[in-house]
Amino acid sequence: MVIRKVLILLTFAVTMIAPAYAITSLQASVDQNPIIEGNTLILTVVADDELSSNALNTSSLLKDFTVGRTSISRSKQIVNFDARNETRWQVLLSPRSRGKLTIPAFNIDGVSSDPISLSVLDRNSQPQQQQDIFMQASLSSDTAYVGQMLTYRVKLYLALELQRGVLNAPTLEGAQIKQLGDDKDSSEILNGKRYRVIERTYAIVADQPGELTIDGASFSGDVVMQGRRNGGMFSFNESKPTQTQAAKSVVLINPEPIDYKGHWLVSDLVMLKEDWPSTPVEYKVGDPITRTISLLASNTDETSLPDLTLSLPETLKSYPEKPQRTSFVRDKQMVSQLTQTTAIVATQPGTYTLPKIKVPWWNPHLKQQQFATLPARTIVVKAAANAVLPIVSPKAPQQDNAGYWPWISAFFACLWLFTLWLWLNARKQPRVNEAIIKTALTTPSISSRQALEQACKLKDPTSAINALITYFSEIYGKPMSLQTISQLSEPLSSAINTLQQSAYSQNRTDVDYPQLLALALSVNIHSSKAVSSSLAPLNPKS
């Protein structure tokens, strides 16, 4: 009981004494001096009182140093009933230049620390192999063209155990930059010292000509320090914050050559490939002909690849899919690829030539324009199996004997007089409706109409296309293509276009099949847009 009372009194005494203390000492120190350019040091500031975190103002350091993160720790010690508080700041600093620099004095509540004179040595004054951490960077070329891809490789060498860290990309203006692939982790031995090596590769594409300044990639993190026990926070974790940066690089960017023609594409090598059958294939009207073309370029960004356009005859309809752009790394080189797949549909039989494809590009090594090409392709398209062929009446054999001509002339003269007499007597009789007769002669068979209705009911675009061709071929008594059918009316043309997109395009389009059927059955074959009859006029003009 007595001991408990004594402890309470001691605690009360310490509590009463503590507020009487105020800061009386402020000390600043660094963990290394001199320091190599590009490396970092730790500035430690200790005050003998418990202070707020923002009591230390480090803005005066920004002139000569890059200020990193700041760690703050507080402690209290009681020795012989004497309570001592302590506040410790540890600031990560990186010198902005080499030479003699000064860490200015700090002041807190009228108590100041002493300034520190710091020597920053040249990066080459100490071999990198003797440093615990350093970086090396390399560029694929010190000159390039606008749009040309440069490869930037950086290696981080660590002789200490890495606890955590961040590898930052180089900074630049007037160019695009992105990482290529994943980091590579390996080890190297330099002058008997083992290093862990982390390698990363970036692609840099300049947007404008001139000098491109690249501030080197940098690293910041914590490394484990062995045998460092001085009571500070970093010592408690047995780690030390550190950072380093690769040297600055300057690249000369050339403009696009004046004599270059076409879409600007600069690459080490450009190729065109085509997925085409090695053996001849028999195509029919309405069948989709798939053509897949790939454009590959070495050391080029995928966004720089131009779109591929195909020039086709009017009787060939094309349905291109959305181009696919990809990139990958092969043999430490960036390869970009554009793949274009197109469905080609012939509306009429015949022999067609798919034109030669030619893509211009600039060779930066030869400094000249070159072309990637694909040869022209010839295809033969035959009529569809269900196409209705025109019926041609045989011509009457000509009479070579001129002796019968007078008799024939007399016969036709009498026939003309008889016909005139009949016309005069039949003027008052009702005339037969010629439109009804023609409609009866051109009414399609029940099977073709049922086939069209069945295809629309099943919502099968390919069957609907074939049924339309059969149905209208029977109406007009001659082969009809989709292109000819589309000319019958604007609404029907729009419906057929949607039907073809649904049949052959990658992006399926919804077809209003009831409307398509109604439009097909309601076509007036005697309208001004109707296809002319295959029969010759009754009285052709000479």
Side-chain angles (χ1 to χ4, degrees), residues 276 289 291 310-316 344 350-357 374-381:
W276 192 262
I289 304 170
R291 192 181 192 190
L310 304 181
S311 177
L312 299 176
E314 293 183 357
T315 51
L316 295 181
I344 303 172
T351 301
Y352 300 97
T353 299
L354 306 181
K356 176 182 179 180
I357 300 178
L374 274 180
R377 297 287 185 183
T378 301
I379 57 175
V380 178
V381 180

Side-chain angles (χ1 to χ4, degrees), residues 434-485:
E434 295 181 1
I436 296 177
I437 296 176
K438 291 183 179 181
T439 302
L441 293 176
T442 57
T443 300
S445 65
I446 298 178
S447 60
S448 65
R449 175 168 177 162
Q450 289 178 345
L452 179 59
E453 293 175 348
Q454 184 67 15
C456 292
K457 182 178 181 181
L458 296 176
K459 298 183 178 181
D460 185 349
T462 304
S463 300
I465 290 174
N466 295 331
L468 280 172
I469 295 174
T470 303
Y471 177 77
F472 282 97
S473 296
E474 290 189 6
I475 287 181
Y476 290 98
K478 69 171 188 175
M480 296 284 288
S481 65
L482 285 180
Q483 183 179 11
T484 307
I485 298 172

